[in-house]
Amino acid sequence: MPLSRIEVAVCDTDTEYRDRFVTYLIEHRAGEYAVHAFSSPELWAKRSEEEKIDVAVCGMGFAEAGRAAAARGISVLFLRETMPEVQAESGRDMEADGYRAMGTEKYQSAEAEYPSIGAGDRLTGAEEYPPAVRAAEVFRYQPIEIILHEVQVLLGVPEKRRQSMTAGMEIIGVYSPICHEMQMPFSLVLARTLAEKRKVLYVNLMEHSGFLELFGLTGGYDLGDVVLAIRRNRFPEDVFLKGVYEAEGIHYLPPFDNPEDLMEFSVTDYDAFLEFVERQTDFDALVIDFGAGMRELARALEACTSIYCLMKNGYFYECQMNHFLRYLAREQGEEMKERLHVVQLPFSAKKIRTGIDVYRQLLWSEFGDYVREYLAGGAHENQ
C-alpha cells in the first residue's frame, strides 16, 4: 500500500464512462490518485505487467482480465451493471455467516479476503489467489466519490493510520441552546475552513438532523455501527474506514439513523469514540455538532478544546443562553467559559433552496462569507 499516491487503473470499454471517471480523478483527486486508463483487455494485459498498479477498477469488458489481475496479486474493484444482492439483504451484523457487509460490496472475514462477484459472474478457483488479495464489487451507476470510497475500503487501513498516535487532536464542539436552525451549516463551513490546512472529521450528534438528505450525501455504516464495533472491539478500524466518506474536502461519519441510538450513546461511548479517533486515525481535528438529546452534555463539552455557541439577538434568546451558562458553570465550573465562543448568527434557513448543491450554496454565499470572516477574526486560532 503506497504512502503517497494510489496507482489506480480504470479499465472499461465504455469510452464515455471511462473518460468521465478518469477526468474526475485528474480534476478532483490528483493529489491522491495516479490514474491509468485502459480501453481493452489486450492493452491492459500488456501494460499491467510493466506498470505498478495498486488497484484496478474493472468495468465493462474486463471481467476475465480482472480475475487474472487478482490472481497476480492486484486488488480489484469490479463495476457491476446491476445492484449487488447484498444491498437487498439486512446483513449488517458482522457475525452473520462470517461476512461483513456494507453498502454495495461483500467482504469475507479478515481470515479469507476473497471476492464474491454475484450470481452469473462468480469467481472460481479462489485457492489460486494470494492470501493478501482483496477484491470486491460495486454498482457502477452512482457518484464516483462513492466508488472511490470503496477503493479505499478495498485497499484497507493504511499502515500509517494504524500506527498513528496523534498528540492533542483538536476537538471543536458546536451547540446552540436556542436550537439555531443554521447550526449544522455553520459547523460544515467551519469544518471546510479548517480542512484547508488540516484533516478534519465532522460528526453530527443531533436528532433528526437531516444531514444526509439536506446535502445529498450518502452513507452505509453510520456512527451507531462504529460505536458498536468499538464496544465489541470487533474490527473497529475496518468499520470506521467503511463508514467515513469525503465531500468537498471534509470527511464525515453519517449520524445515528435512529434518535433512540443517540439516547443510548453514553458518555462512556463518547469517550471511547474520541480516544479511538485520536489514537487510531490520522485526523487532526474533530468537529462535533451537539444536539439537545446528547446525554451529559456538559461532560461531553468538557472534552472540547473550543466550543461555538450559536445565538440570535433578542431577550428570549438571552434568557435561554443564561440558563445554559448557569448549567455549564454548575456542572463543569467557570473555566468552561474560557473555551466558549458565543456567535451571533443573523441568518435563517429560509434562503436554502432545493434543486441545487446545498453544500456549495452555503459555502459560497453571504452566510459562508460571514462565518469565514468571523473565524478569521481570531475567535478560533487555526494553527
Side-chain angles (χ1 to χ4, degrees):
M1 176 69 190
L3 295 181
S4 54
R5 294 200 298 174
I6 296 172
E7 301 286 339
V8 57
V10 180
C11 309
D12 205 302
T13 57
D14 184 331
T15 302
E16 181 179 357
Y17 185 94
R18 183 184 66 249
D19 290 349
R20 186 169 66 250
F21 203 119
V22 169
T23 299
Y24 184 90
L25 287 176
I26 293 174
E27 292 182 352
H28 299 280
R29 304 295 289 272
E32 301 167 63
Y33 295 93
V35 61
H36 310 261
F38 297 94
S39 58
S40 69
E42 294 75 21
L43 179 61
W44 160 256
K46 178 181 178 181
R47 298 282 298 278
S48 63
E49 296 282 354
E50 307 168 357
E51 299 182 10
K52 178 182 179 298
I53 301 296
D54 297 305
V55 59
V57 179
C58 293
M60 194 174 295
F62 278 82
E64 291 299 329
R67 293 186 177 93
R72 298 204 312 272
I74 298 174
S75 295
V76 181
L77 182 67
F78 292 89
L79 301 178
R80 287 191 52 169
E81 292 289 320
T82 57
M83 191 75 70
E85 294 177 2
V86 68
Q87 283 195 314
E89 299 174 0
S90 59
R92 284 173 53 172
D93 190 337
M94 293 182 293
E95 300 175 1
D97 301 325
Y99 285 93
R100 286 177 284 134
M102 192 282 289
T104 55
E105 85 287 345
K106 177 178 284 186
Y107 291 99
Q108 286 180 305
S109 62
E111 290 75 20
E113 291 168 330
Y114 297 115
S116 171
I117 301 303
D121 195 18
R122 184 72 58 184
L123 288 183
T124 58
E127 65 278 358
E128 301 174 4
Y129 292 85
V133 168
R134 290 173 177 262
E137 57 185 2
V138 66
F139 184 50
R140 67 188 276 124
Y141 301 111
Q142 57 182 323
I144 292 176
E145 279 295 337
I146 298 179
I147 297 175
L148 294 179
H149 174 77
E150 303 308 325
V151 168
Q152 295 281 359
V153 172
L154 177 64
L155 291 176
V157 182
E159 189 66 24
K160 66 174 183 178
R161 173 168 290 180
R162 287 201 299 267
Q163 296 178 351
S164 176
M165 295 290 287
T166 57
M169 178 185 70
E170 187 167 14
I171 303 171
I172 303 164
V174 183
Y175 178 70
S176 176
I178 69 170
C179 298
H180 201 304
E181 69 265 37
M182 296 299 284
Q183 176 181 333
M184 184 168 60
F186 174 90
S187 299
L188 290 170
V189 175
L190 166 63
R192 180 63 179 83
T193 302
L194 294 175
E196 293 176 2
K197 296 183 179 180
R198 306 157 74 176
K199 188 169 183 179
V200 178
L201 176 65
Y202 170 78
V203 173
N204 189 296
L205 295 177
M206 304 170 70
E207 325 88 289
H208 303 301
S209 66
F211 172 70
L212 298 181
E213 294 80 1
L214 179 61
F215 297 103
L217 300 174
T218 187
Y221 278 10
D222 61 26
L223 180 58
D225 296 299
V226 175
V227 171
L228 185 60
I230 294 174
R231 283 179 184 171
R232 295 177 174 178
N233 195 26
R234 289 184 58 82
F235 311 111
E237 291 183 355
D238 290 349
V239 177
F240 180 84
L241 184 61
K242 290 178 183 180
V244 173
Y245 288 77
E246 183 178 4
E248 294 295 332
I250 67 169
H251 296 77
Y252 68 91
L253 184 61
F256 291 110
D257 189 46
N258 297 320
E260 290 83 0
D261 293 336
L262 177 59
M263 296 175 187
E264 295 175 1
F265 184 59
S266 68
V267 70
T268 301
D269 292 324
Y270 176 75
D271 289 340
F273 175 75
L274 295 184
E275 182 179 5
F276 173 84
V277 175
E278 181 167 2
R279 292 180 175 272
Q280 303 299 329
T281 78
D282 57 357
F283 287 103
D284 303 307
L286 178 62
V287 176
I288 306 176
D289 254 332
F290 291 98
M294 180 67 192
R295 295 171 60 182
E296 299 186 56
L297 177 61
R299 170 66 179 77
L301 290 174
E302 198 275 333
C304 298
T305 50
S306 299
I307 306 165
Y308 290 94
C309 195
L310 306 189
M311 271 286 290
K312 291 182 180 180
N313 287 321
Y315 177 70
F316 175 69
Y317 301 129
E318 291 175 4
C319 291
Q320 291 179 295
M321 173 60 75
N322 290 333
H323 190 176
F324 172 65
L325 293 177
R326 289 199 309 273
Y327 161 71
L328 281 186
R330 182 177 67 250
E331 296 295 325
Q332 297 296 330
E334 293 292 333
E335 66 275 7
M336 285 281 289
K337 290 184 179 180
E338 298 178 2
R339 288 175 275 159
L340 194 68
H341 307 290
V342 178
V343 185
Q344 296 287 345
L345 203 58
F347 291 88
S348 73
K350 293 180 180 179
K351 293 185 178 180
I352 296 179
R353 294 177 293 157
T354 186
I356 61 176
D357 189 331
V358 175
Y359 192 15
R360 288 178 178 270
Q361 175 192 157
L362 291 168
L363 282 175
W364 312 119
S365 64
E366 180 185 1
F367 170 80
D369 292 340
Y370 182 93
V371 175
R372 281 186 291 272
E373 289 175 7
Y374 172 83
L375 297 174
H380 176 72
E381 293 182 6
N382 185 9
Q383 299 177 349

